[in-house]
Amino acid sequence: SSELTQDPAVSVALGQTVTMTCQGDSLTSFYASWYQQRPGQAPLLVIYGNTNRPSGIPDRFSGSSSGDTASLTITGAQAEDEAAYYCNSRDSSVNYLVFGGGTKLTVL
Amino acid sequence: EVHLAESGGGLVQPGGSLRLSCTASGFTFGHYEMNWVRQAPGEGLEWVAYIDSDAFSTHYGDSVKGRVTISRDNAKSSLFLEINSLRAEDTAVYYCARGGEHWAFDVWGLGTRVTVSS
């Protein structure tokens, strides 16, 4: 399969921890990256290579991977973390690169 | 400061063609792979096309294969996307994105909007 599957929506109470997942066959062979997209803005890379955080990204964002599933965790979610989150990876079938469908995170 | 700026979007009739441009600044453009990613209204991100740093290798998304050509001019720090036989489903914001480590898109432009409608 060339798809990456994400839950459409997740909610978290302010200050609590939330984990979003991304599942797909390609993740057994290739690294996952994660992007944050606030309404009306361009996407922003928050995790690459499964676990690496770019400069400037708060350390409350962390990534992990096991088997065919990659995860993005926000520890102590803030109001400004409310956004859509997308995963992506290389793909070995139809498409060279692929995105997940995205998870809309609501901070309550 | 690292920056990408897309241009060339607009309203185009079904069956028409469009050439999008992306101008890079703040980094050595010729050292990086580049991509186009699009987002239809209210929808998620869709990878469209990839080109390596020397333009020797290109790849295209299945939904646009055969209608799209990605190219670059490293001397002018510019990336291009030509789209032919435009359809309503090509309506989207088109982003250029720099290829970073482990196939991540580490720098994004603000996007250019393409609307296909009669």
Side-chain angles (χ1 to χ4, degrees):
Chain A
S1 169
S2 63
E3 296 180 351
L4 294 177
T5 301
Q6 299 182 248
D7 291 329
V10 169
S11 62
V12 61
L14 185 68
Q16 296 304 299
T17 296
V18 61
T19 296
M20 291 168 273
T21 62
C22 173
Q23 185 271 331
D25 292 343
S26 63
L27 298 180
T28 61
S29 303
F30 301 108
Y31 292 108
S33 300
W34 291 89
Y35 306 84
Q36 176 194 69
Q37 187 180 33
R38 297 185 177 119
Q41 296 187 14
L44 172 71
L45 178 67
V46 295
I47 294 288
Y48 67 95
N50 287 342
T51 60
N52 301 290
R53 202 171 45 249
S55 174
I57 301 301
D59 60 6
R60 64 179 180 273
F61 290 88
S62 63
S64 64
S65 180
S66 178
D68 68 351
T69 300
S71 301
L72 172 69
T73 297
I74 306 175
T75 304
Q78 303 299 303
E80 61 264 31
D81 299 334
E82 186 162 290
Y85 290 85
Y86 296 92
C87 61
N88 97 291
S89 81
R90 257 297 306 276
D91 186 51
S92 54
S93 61
V94 176
N95 287 303
Y96 191 68
L97 289 155
V98 64
F99 282 95
T103 296
K104 178 169 170 39
L105 175 67
T106 300
V107 180
L108 303 171
Chain B
E1 183 186 356
V2 174
H3 190 64
L4 295 172
E6 302 91 341
S7 60
L11 175 64
V12 61
Q13 292 192 338
S17 298
L18 209 56
R19 190 189 198 212
L20 306 180
S21 301
C22 171
T23 302
S25 58
F27 65 99
T28 305
F29 180 75
H31 288 181
Y32 289 87
E33 301 161 344
M34 297 294 297
N35 297 269
W36 287 97
V37 176
R38 71 182 181 182
Q39 186 169 35
E43 301 295 325
L45 301 174
E46 179 188 13
W47 169 75
V48 173
Y50 157 95
I51 187 167
D52 72 356
S53 58
D54 296 318
F56 289 153
S57 176
T58 59
H59 296 276
Y60 299 98
D62 199 45
S63 65
V64 299
K65 206 169 291 183
R67 299 190 297 120
V68 163
T69 303
I70 187 172
S71 60
R72 64 191 298 162
D73 183 340
N74 286 345
K76 295 183 178 179
S77 296
S78 295
L79 178 73
F80 306 101
L81 186 73
E82 185 148 357
I83 318 172
N84 300 310
S85 303
L86 279 156
R87 310 164 179 168
E89 52 265 38
D90 295 318
T91 294
V93 174
Y94 285 73
Y95 296 99
C96 66
R98 191 177 79 172
E101 291 185 55
H102 302 308
W103 305 102
F105 304 128
D106 64 353
V107 180
W108 295 68
L110 296 180
T112 187
R113 186 175 301 275
V114 172
T115 302
V116 183
S117 174
S118 56

